[in-house]
Amino acid sequence: MLIGMTYDLRDRYLALGLDEEETAEFDSEETVAAIESGLRRLGHETERIGNLDDLVRALAGGRRWGMVFNIAEGLYGFGREAQVPALLDGYGIPYTFSDPLVLSLTLHKGMTKRVLRDLGVPTPDFAMVGAEADLKSIALEYPLFAKPVAEGTGKGISALSRIENPAELRSVCLNLIAAFDQPVLVERFLPGREFTVGILGTGDAARVLGVMEVILGGEAEADAYSYENKQKWEERVSYRLAADATALQAGETALRAWRGLGCRDAGRIDLRADALGRPHFIEINPLAGLHPGHSDLPILCRLAGMDYGDLLSGIMDSAAERIPESASAACCTVVPEVRTAQGGAF
C-alpha cells in the first residue's frame, strides 16, 4: 500500500523564526525517518507529504494514498491537530490515529475533563481561568496546579505550577495567559505517584500496553513532569513499568477514558494518584510522540518488550480496520486534475 506521511517538521518552523518552545511538539527528521523506515519494513511504499499546506497542494494536484500516517500537530487554534484529519475525511482518505472530533476535544484539557467527569472517570476538580475576573469564582482547596489549557510536551508547566495561595494563583494564571494566549486550567493538586499509560487499538480491541511510572530525580523540578524535566529527561527522570494494584487501577482508568472519548489506534494517557493512592485522569495524548529514542510511548513499549516496528505494525493494523473494501481498489492512484470553467484546476 502507498502510505502518505503528514507531519510538522520542527526544523522547517525553526527556519521560519519560531523558537524552541513554540516548536517543541513538532517532529524531527529522525522521527519522520524512523516511521518511514518502519513502514517500508512492513512492506509499504511511502510518500512524504509534509504539513497541512503541503497536503492541500498535493490533494489539489490529484495525489491520493491508500492510507495517510498522520502525526501533524498543526500550528493555530484549538482545532489545530484536527485540521489534517478533517481534510483527509473530506477526500475519503483513511488515516492513522483519532478523528477531528476527538483531536479537537482532547487538545482542550478542560473540555476533555468535563466529558470524562460525565462518564464517571475520576479526574481532579478544576476550573478554567480566561481572565483575571475568573479568579474570584475559584473555590478549590489549595494546593492547586495550573497549566495552559491546550498545550502539550509540558509547555507552560514548571516548578511554579504548584500553587499554595491566592497570590500565587493570580500571578501564575496571568503570566500563563499572557505567554500562551489561552485560558489556564487550574486543578486540585494531586500529591501521589504519576503514571503514563500506553494504549494500542480502537474501541473494544483497545488494550493497555503498559503502565509506566514517571519518577523525578533530585535534579528535577519538583511536583511536575514539566517542560524542563521533559527536555532534560536523561538527567532528571527515570521510568519503570509498574504492575502493583495502583498501577493496574491506573491502566483500567486509562482504558475507560480511551474508549469513552473514542480514541483510535495508539496513544498515551497521563494519570496521577491522590493522597489516598487513587489514580486520576490528568490528560490524554491521542497523537503521542513517536521519536524512537525519547518519546514516552516508544520508551514505554521498550520497557514492555515491544520494539518500535511492532508498535508501528499495531497502529497500522488498527487503522486498516477502517479501510472499506471498495476503497482498496481505488487507492494509491493519481487522480486527474478537474478543470474549472475558467480553465484552472481545483
Side-chain angles (χ1 to χ4, degrees):
M1 181 187 296
L2 177 60
I3 309 293
M5 299 174 62
T6 47
Y7 49 85
D8 287 291
L9 197 61
R10 190 176 190 183
D11 287 345
R12 182 171 174 177
Y13 292 93
L14 289 171
L16 292 172
L18 277 70
D19 64 28
E20 292 288 333
E21 186 169 347
E22 288 173 315
T23 61
E25 293 184 88
F26 296 157
D27 288 292
S28 66
E29 167 61 29
E30 190 176 2
T31 298
V32 176
I35 294 171
E36 184 173 46
S37 177
L39 293 175
R40 289 179 176 175
R41 280 196 293 272
L42 293 173
H44 300 294
E45 297 178 72
T46 58
E47 179 177 306
R48 294 193 183 195
I49 301 169
N51 66 11
L52 177 66
D53 293 341
D54 298 320
L55 177 61
V56 169
R57 283 190 287 271
L59 289 168
R63 293 300 303 166
R64 302 291 187 269
W65 311 269
M67 171 80 74
V68 169
F69 198 101
N70 171 49
I71 57 171
E73 299 276 353
L75 191 57
Y76 301 115
F78 291 136
R80 59 184 184 267
E81 291 184 350
Q83 291 163 347
V84 164
L87 190 55
L88 293 170
D89 274 347
Y91 280 79
I93 298 173
Y95 52 88
T96 57
F97 303 114
S98 294
D99 64 22
L101 173 62
V102 171
L103 293 176
S104 292
L105 172 66
T106 55
L107 186 62
H108 195 296
K109 303 178 199 302
M111 298 302 287
T112 303
K113 284 164 66 72
R114 290 190 196 282
V115 172
L116 289 177
R117 190 169 57 185
D118 185 66
L119 292 170
V121 175
T123 188
D125 293 336
F126 67 100
M128 283 186 281
V129 177
E132 185 171 4
D134 296 333
L135 294 168
K136 297 177 183 175
S137 61
I138 292 181
L140 301 170
E141 184 178 349
Y142 288 89
L144 301 175
F145 195 85
K147 58 188 174 185
V149 79
E151 297 294 340
T153 322
K155 290 167 65 174
I157 298 176
S158 70
L160 300 175
S161 295
R162 176 173 168 160
I163 293 168
E164 301 289 348
N165 55 61
E168 289 182 5
L169 178 63
R170 179 181 181 280
S171 173
V172 170
C173 286
L174 296 185
N175 285 335
L176 288 176
I177 290 170
F180 292 93
D181 193 26
Q182 61 184 265
V184 176
L185 178 70
V186 178
E187 298 176 286
R188 186 167 52 85
F189 175 74
L190 300 178
R193 298 160 67 192
E194 181 156 344
F195 304 98
T196 189
V197 178
I199 295 181
L200 181 66
T202 303
D204 290 341
R207 63 185 176 92
V208 173
L209 291 172
V211 179
M212 186 171 77
E213 185 169 2
V214 178
I215 303 169
L216 302 179
E219 299 297 317
E221 291 182 317
D223 298 323
Y225 194 22
S226 66
Y227 177 76
E228 285 297 323
N229 287 341
K230 290 187 177 186
Q231 296 302 307
K232 301 174 181 176
W233 65 276
E234 289 177 295
E235 303 94 52
R236 298 183 173 189
V237 185
S238 61
Y239 307 97
R240 71 178 181 93
L241 281 188
D244 57 88
T246 301
L248 293 177
Q249 190 177 355
E252 292 171 1
T253 300
L255 195 55
R256 283 177 58 202
W258 182 264
R259 289 172 173 163
L261 293 169
C263 300
R264 308 193 309 204
D265 299 341
R268 284 180 27 244
I269 295 183
D270 299 335
L271 304 98
R272 196 173 176 105
D274 62 19
L276 298 176
R278 298 172 300 199
H280 292 245
F281 171 92
I282 298 296
E283 60 184 67
I284 184 168
N285 192 340
L287 207 57
L290 288 176
H291 187 283
H294 60 65
S295 291
D296 285 350
L297 184 59
I299 290 173
L300 184 153
C301 288
R302 279 202 304 277
L303 293 173
M306 171 183 273
D307 69 26
Y308 192 73
D310 289 337
L311 173 61
L312 295 180
S313 178
I315 292 168
M316 289 299 296
D317 287 346
S318 176
E321 294 290 327
R322 298 190 292 275
I323 300 178
E325 291 185 8
S326 59
S328 61
C331 73
C332 318
T333 60
V334 178
V335 177
E337 284 187 346
V338 178
R339 310 302 295 184
T340 67
Q342 292 73 34
F346 288 109

